[in-house]
Amino acid sequence: MSDLSSSTPHTRSATSLTKLCGLASSVAALVYTCVILPAEFGIDPTGFGQFSGLIALSQPGTADAGTAPEEPGSRANTGSYSRHEIQLSLPAGEDLEYKFQLGQGDKFAYQWSSSEHVVHVDFHGEPAGDTTGYFESYSLGEVTGLEGTLTAPFDGSHGWYWRNDSDRAITINLQVQGRFEVLGIR
């Protein structure tokens, strides 16, 4: 007689199958968060996309090695994911404006702080091509810092105007990440 147990397929218990489904779901979520989001959408919640270089795949012109490089300042560059950090010196009684170019719908996260003193600030945007002097203020006040996000409501320059009304120089520490082109001090 033959041994039938050797030809019978192995079946898994319901508990074992549940554990395997949970493990597969966890791996899929990890791959989506660490690989798909940075490579396809330029969203990098873990920092792995920047570390591994996957974030570059979400930028225009990187998928096809035969594509000509984009000209600096071209509209397509506002779609590139960037990180920017700068320290700005603001003398006593002086003001300055620091801007970024964003296309309508482009997003960025920002955080800035001033050393020691409260500063007058106007976070605002100016539509591209407007000659009337129109601008839209997003926040206005006397503070030592702000953080948040902006989704640009229109194509144009967006940034901060700071005025130091104190009798001492201060330093503004600005950090921005998202889709933009740096215009700098205006």
Side-chain angles (χ1 to χ4, degrees), residues 60-84:
T62 57
D64 181 6
T67 303
E70 297 172 9
E71 292 297 316
S74 71
R75 167 62 182 100
N77 280 352
T78 62
S80 300
Y81 182 86
S82 302
R83 292 181 186 201
H84 181 69

Side-chain angles (χ1 to χ4, degrees), residues 9-184:
H10 179 69
T11 57
R12 299 200 180 263
S13 70
T15 303
S16 175
L17 288 175
T18 302
K19 288 179 182 177
L20 286 173
C21 285
L23 178 63
S25 295
S26 297
V27 169
L30 182 67
V31 168
Y32 184 77
T33 302
C34 293
V35 178
I36 307 282
L37 283 175
E40 291 293 324
F41 305 105
I43 299 169
D44 192 12
T46 64
F48 181 75
Q50 189 74 26
F51 173 76
S52 65
L54 288 170
I55 198 82
L57 295 175
S58 69
Q59 297 175 356
T62 57
D64 181 6
T67 303
E70 297 172 9
E71 292 297 316
S74 71
R75 167 62 182 100
N77 280 352
T78 62
S80 300
Y81 182 86
S82 302
R83 292 181 186 201
H84 181 69
E85 187 170 340
I86 189 168
Q87 288 188 339
L88 303 163
S89 178
L90 187 53
E94 298 288 323
D95 59 9
L96 70 83
E97 197 168 19
Y98 199 84
K99 297 291 195 97
F100 297 87
Q101 181 71 32
L102 283 85
Q104 183 175 5
D106 286 345
K107 298 177 182 181
F108 75 178
Y110 62 88
Q111 177 180 357
W112 70 265
S113 62
S114 63
S115 61
E116 300 183 36
H117 301 290
V118 169
V119 293
H120 172 81
V121 63
D122 182 359
F123 179 36
H124 64 279
E126 301 166 15
D130 182 78
T131 58
T132 66
Y134 171 80
F135 65 94
E136 182 175 329
S137 287
Y138 310 127
S139 66
L140 183 66
E142 305 277 333
V143 294
T144 58
L146 285 173
E147 65 180 275
T149 59
L150 172 73
T151 301
F154 47 78
D155 291 345
S157 63
H158 304 266
W160 294 266
Y161 165 82
W162 290 287
R163 186 179 70 232
N164 179 5
D165 292 330
S166 77
D167 58 355
R168 292 185 185 162
I170 61 170
T171 300
I172 303 282
N173 295 302
L174 174 64
Q175 299 172 352
V176 178
Q177 61 183 4
R179 300 188 182 285
F180 56 83
E181 176 187 342
V182 177
L183 298 176

